[in-house]
Amino acid sequence: MRYHNITKDDMLNGDGLRAVLWVAGCSHGCKGCQNPITWDICGGIPFDEAAKKELMEALEPDYISGITFSGGDPLHERNRKETGELIGEIRERFPQKTIWVYTGYLWEEIRDLPFIREIDVLVDGRFVEELKDTSLHWVGSSNQRIIDVKKTCEQGEIVLYEANTGGASLDGEQ
């Protein structure tokens, strides 16, 4: 897996203060994408042990709510194995932290990935420039969904995430 950046203390890509891993590789090619530089699966730099150490250190402070995987697309077919392994490692090491994943794939296309239940919130759907809405929180276009993965898996139907109102909370309790 390759990546472009690790952002620390981010308040724009999920609930609370977060670390963000900007993964390289996206095949959706959304018109008006804010990060087209991340589309090339061979772009960025290798996600090596030094990068993993930097990411884990960014997650250590108590005031950090969790991690967000963005990009590019962390669920690009060539990223899935390593993204899944990293999600598992983070879940084990930081069980109280929330894990958010942004993807251009729809829930219905990726719900059977083996690590999907380790994710707290999945923001799905391609960015659609004609549906761009800057008044929306955490998404760029109105077709994108912010899915509470735990509740969706429990109920067998999509349950949208609601910040601090019974959804996946910052402390991991529901």
Side-chain angles (χ1 to χ4, degrees), residues 24-59:
C26 184
S27 57
H28 304 298
C30 300
K31 178 181 167 192
C33 173
Q34 68 174 2
N35 293 319
I37 194 168
T38 64
W39 291 359
D40 183 358
I41 193 71
C42 298
I45 55 178
F47 187 79
D48 57 12
E49 286 303 313
K52 184 187 289 189
K53 182 177 187 280
E54 178 183 350
L55 183 62
M56 296 300 180
E57 287 173 356
L59 287 167

Side-chain angles (χ1 to χ4, degrees), residues 31-167:
K31 178 181 167 192
C33 173
Q34 68 174 2
N35 293 319
I37 194 168
T38 64
W39 291 359
D40 183 358
I41 193 71
C42 298
I45 55 178
F47 187 79
D48 57 12
E49 286 303 313
K52 184 187 289 189
K53 182 177 187 280
E54 178 183 350
L55 183 62
M56 296 300 180
E57 287 173 356
L59 287 167
E60 284 178 1
D62 290 339
Y63 62 84
I64 296 296
S65 301
I67 182 167
T68 298
F69 289 82
S70 193
D73 195 328
L75 300 184
H76 182 286
E77 289 184 10
R78 288 180 46 194
N79 289 332
R80 290 180 183 179
K81 181 179 185 297
E82 289 180 86
T83 296
E85 290 170 357
L86 187 56
I87 286 171
E89 201 171 322
I90 291 168
R91 175 61 67 213
E92 185 175 318
R93 185 167 172 185
F94 301 104
Q96 76 284 10
K97 308 280 185 176
T98 57
I99 298 173
W100 283 52
V101 174
Y102 279 80
T103 183
Y105 294 98
L106 295 175
W107 168 257
E108 293 80 4
E109 297 173 296
I110 50 92
R111 67 179 169 212
D112 294 327
L113 291 175
F115 56 86
I116 203 76
R117 291 177 178 266
E118 298 298 320
I119 297 169
D120 295 292
V121 178
L122 181 86
V123 181
D124 83 336
R126 296 175 184 197
F127 172 75
V128 177
E129 191 169 48
E130 296 76 23
L131 299 176
K132 182 177 180 176
D133 186 342
T134 57
S135 71
L136 297 173
H137 208 54
W138 300 319
V139 297
S141 58
S142 60
N143 63 298
Q144 295 173 305
R145 301 176 290 186
I146 306 167
I147 298 171
D148 183 321
V149 174
K150 306 287 186 219
K151 287 187 176 185
T152 295
C153 290
E154 288 169 8
Q155 296 182 22
E157 62 184 16
I158 291 178
V159 177
L160 298 180
Y161 174 77
E162 297 180 44
N164 300 319
T165 57

Side-chain angles (χ1 to χ4, degrees), residues 13-31:
N13 295 284
D15 206 357
L17 206 55
R18 317 186 64 73
V20 181
L21 178 62
W22 301 92
V23 178
C26 184
S27 57
H28 304 298
C30 300
K31 178 181 167 192

